Amino acid sequence: MQSISALLLAAAALRGISAFPQAEVASSISYGGCPPFHGNFTIHQYQLYPENAYFDTQSCLLYMGCLWNATVGIYNPYTAKIVDILEFPGTTRNPLFHIGGVGVDQQSGLVSIVVDASDAFDTGGQDISGTNYIMQWNPYTQELLYKINLTETTHGLYGGYQDVEQDPEGNVYVVGTYPSSILKVSKDGKTVTPWFVPTPPIVTTTAGLAGLAAQDYILLGNDCASGNLWRFDMCSSTGIPVTVPITPPYKIGSKGVCDGIRLPLKYSGTVLLVAEDLSGVSVFRSKDASWESAEYLGLVPWNDPSIFVTATVQIGNSLYMVLEPFGDAIVPGQTSGNRTDFPFFDITKQVEALVTA
Ligand SMILES: *[C@@H]1O[C@H](CO)[C@@H](O)[C@H](O)[C@H]1NC(C)=O
Ligand SMILES: *[C@@H]1O[C@H](CO)[C@@H](O)[C@H](O)[C@H]1NC(C)=O
Ligand SMILES: *[C@@H]1O[C@H](CO)[C@@H](O)[C@H](O)[C@H]1NC(C)=O
Ligand SMILES: *[C@@H]1O[C@H](CO)[C@@H](O)[C@H](O)[C@H]1NC(C)=O
């Protein structure tokens, strides 16, 4: 049987995409077989505006949710080329929708994509009535496996969906922010369970969970309302949040906003990176990866108020800030600003310094 990565590389070759330079392949192998990669870089792509990103260690490609166009950008960091931009009829360049969260199931290679009702974020949770979707895309056959209207489950009572994770069985968890909720989608896409949902009275303007990160059956979420880190057990039929005690005490999102979280592969689930939009990336550790408690190690600071740190991503063996410039004027008749250059900052050394301090 051919391996998934061989299939994907073959598929890439068919589409005229070279995988990565042979010289890099021959050098030391890092995570999931992807060659090492380091240093700041900039993606030159009109209207990319990456809100979240996921590096697939099978294909060694970076998937990005392109917020305003509501597309998914696929980038090969080793050749510095955009490989593909996925468009979704009815969603792409429709002002009603954003695409933020993307996640690749590391077992199956299937890509989960969160489509959110843009009004929910634009109004700070005052209008969460719009339609949210979770989609699953098969990169090997280039087909959409499902597109589920999550509003059929939420009945428009809560919303603001923006990030996604999977458990080891391939079930998908989608997190909503206004207020906190997590919906579980069965592997076959046939059942959506309100796994962790708010109880009345529901206050939709309270920004709660912003991101998800998973390791085995442990699911972590950052609750921006309380500033706490929550742990869930994905073996459980309903999601029960347990607050992770943090030493020294630290509140996430003290500047009022917080965003995507990540357990980078290179630390085997022992280090959590929390993107805090305007202040930078806070770094936490659980030495045994149980996340029954956590140490707050410090902050990788960010000082440019015109650009938000919306997520982090490991590419090869390095760690990056995903940077989203908010506030660009929308090009008349389009849904996006006019930027072409999108920098990614290498924070590997700063994180390593905090972890080894
Ligand atoms: C990346 O760019 C930032 C901002 O310009 C700079 O502070 C940092 O030193 C750069 N990092 C590397 C690894 O070049
Ligand atoms: C966004 O859409 C414009 C067309 O309006 C297109 O030129 C551009 O490449 C798209 N960018 C992305 C990342 O979707
Ligand atoms: C999604 O489902 C909701 C609730 O059933 C419905 O009101 C809405 O029209 C649906 N969205 C679309 C685009 O069909
Ligand atoms: C991009 O938009 C800004 C603000 O509308 C404008 O000042 C600038 O000239 C535009 N740049 C290009 C290359 O069109």
Side-chain angles (χ1 to χ4, degrees):
M1 202 180 80
Q2 243 183 321
S3 77
I4 280 173
S5 58
L7 281 173
L8 192 50
L9 290 177
L14 277 178
R15 283 182 291 141
I17 306 146
S18 66
F20 32 76
Q22 285 306 314
E24 301 259 24
V25 180
S27 67
S28 77
I29 294 296
S30 68
Y31 302 91
C34 299
F37 185 83
H38 58 85
N40 290 344
F41 67 100
T42 296
I43 300 182
H44 307 285
Q45 172 63 49
Y46 186 54
Q47 298 178 332
L48 186 75
Y49 295 94
E51 170 75 8
N52 210 323
Y54 200 99
F55 182 68
D56 174 26
T57 55
Q58 313 225 8
S59 62
C60 306
L61 297 173
L62 182 69
Y63 286 79
M64 291 163 287
C66 303
L67 194 69
W68 311 108
N69 266 14
T71 54
V72 172
I74 308 176
Y75 179 75
N76 184 338
Y78 302 97
T79 59
K81 287 206 168 65
I82 287 279
V83 166
D84 212 346
I85 295 176
L86 307 180
E87 303 209 342
F88 306 97
T91 300
T92 292
R93 287 183 290 273
N94 180 338
L96 293 177
F97 300 112
H98 289 165
I99 288 182
V102 288
V104 183
D105 186 318
Q106 291 296 301
Q107 321 263 355
S108 66
L110 300 175
V111 184
S112 289
I113 302 159
V114 184
V115 178
D116 63 83
S118 44
D119 280 345
F121 291 94
D122 294 348
T123 65
Q126 281 177 43
D127 178 4
I128 49 98
S129 63
T131 297
N132 300 281
Y133 295 103
I134 180 72
M135 308 195 293
Q136 195 173 55
W137 189 72
N138 183 333
Y140 312 109
T141 59
Q142 306 265 304
E143 65 184 340
L144 201 59
L145 299 177
Y146 61 67
K147 177 181 182 183
I148 301 169
N149 180 347
L150 295 176
T151 309
E152 285 171 8
T153 302
T154 66
H155 306 293
L157 294 174
Y158 43 93
Y161 287 88
Q162 62 164 324
D163 199 7
V164 64
E165 268 295 352
Q166 295 90 7
D167 67 20
E169 292 159 44
N171 301 304
V172 170
Y173 298 75
V174 197
V175 70
T177 297
Y178 295 116
S180 294
S181 72
I182 300 174
L183 305 181
K184 175 180 174 180
V185 183
S186 61
K187 183 182 181 171
D188 59 9
K190 292 198 172 131
T191 314
V192 182
T193 307
W195 194 67
F196 168 64
V197 294
T199 49
I202 297 172
V203 182
T204 64
T205 50
T206 302
L209 286 170
L212 294 179
Q215 165 87 1
D216 298 327
Y217 283 94
I218 296 174
L219 184 68
L220 300 178
N222 50 336
D223 174 40
C224 304
S226 63
N228 289 334
L229 185 62
W230 288 348
R231 187 184 70 247
F232 297 88
D233 176 2
M234 291 188 286
C235 294
S236 176
S237 58
T238 57
I240 300 159
V242 178
T243 297
V244 177
I246 297 173
T247 320
Y250 180 84
K251 290 289 178 196
I252 295 166
S254 55
K255 280 199 187 175
V257 271
C258 59
D259 224 316
I261 69 174
R262 182 85 60 200
L263 287 163
L265 213 49
K266 67 183 288 184
Y267 293 116
S268 311
T270 64
V271 170
L272 180 77
L273 304 180
V274 178
E276 297 202 29
D277 288 332
L278 292 167
S279 42
V281 173
S282 47
V283 182
F284 301 85
R285 175 169 58 193
S286 165
K287 274 187 179 148
D288 62 1
S290 70
W291 294 96
E292 276 171 15
S293 63
E295 300 163 74
Y296 169 64
L297 301 180
L299 186 77
V300 180
W302 178 252
N303 298 310
D304 179 349
S306 70
I307 301 183
F308 282 44
V309 185
T310 50
T312 56
V313 64
Q314 178 176 334
I315 302 177
N317 46 354
S318 297
L319 302 172
Y320 288 88
M321 282 180 174
V322 178
L323 300 169
E324 179 75 289
F326 280 108
D328 283 4
I330 301 295
V331 178
Q334 298 187 13
T335 52
S336 216
N338 64 6
R339 238 176 251 241
T340 305
D341 291 347
F342 297 89
F344 284 73
F345 285 160
D346 185 340
I347 56 166
T348 313
K349 286 200 176 106
Q350 290 100 310
V351 173
E352 185 64 19
L354 292 171
V355 169
T356 54

